[in-house]
Amino acid sequence: MAPNINIFRDPRYLKASACAKHYAVHSGPEKNGHSFNSDVSTYDLWDTYLPAFHTLVVDANVSGVMCAYNAFKG
C-alpha cells in the first residue's frame, strides 16, 4: 500500500487545475471501495501517506483535494 497521485489531462478545458486524490489512505480493492476499511499503522500514515499530500497542498498549491471513499480505521 502506498500513496497514489493520479494525473489526468483533458484538452477540453482551457485552464490547468490540479487535484490531489484520494486523501489520505486510499488502499484496497476497487470493487468494494465504499465498504473497505483501510487500517494502516500510525507510522505509515505519517511517514508514507500524509507527506505527499502536505507537499501537494503547501508547496504545489493544488486547487483541490478529493477524499478517499474507503473507511480509515473504521
Side-chain angles (χ1 to χ4, degrees):
M1 295 186 274
N4 184 355
I5 307 300
N6 297 327
I7 297 173
F8 177 74
R9 293 184 178 92
D10 192 328
R12 296 175 294 176
Y13 301 103
L14 299 176
K15 295 183 178 181
S17 181
C19 179
K21 59 181 188 177
H22 294 95
Y23 183 78
V25 183
H26 177 68
S27 297
E30 290 294 326
K31 67 181 181 179
N32 62 346
H34 294 282
S35 61
F36 181 76
N37 180 32
S38 184
D39 189 10
V40 300
S41 70
T42 300
Y43 177 83
D44 280 342
L45 177 66
W46 288 96
D47 190 68
T48 304
Y49 289 93
L50 295 180
F53 288 96
H54 181 268
T55 299
L56 288 169
V57 171
V58 174
D59 298 335
N61 197 27
V62 294
S63 61
V65 177
M66 181 185 293
C67 68
Y69 40 85
N70 56 282
F72 171 64
K73 293 193 178 204

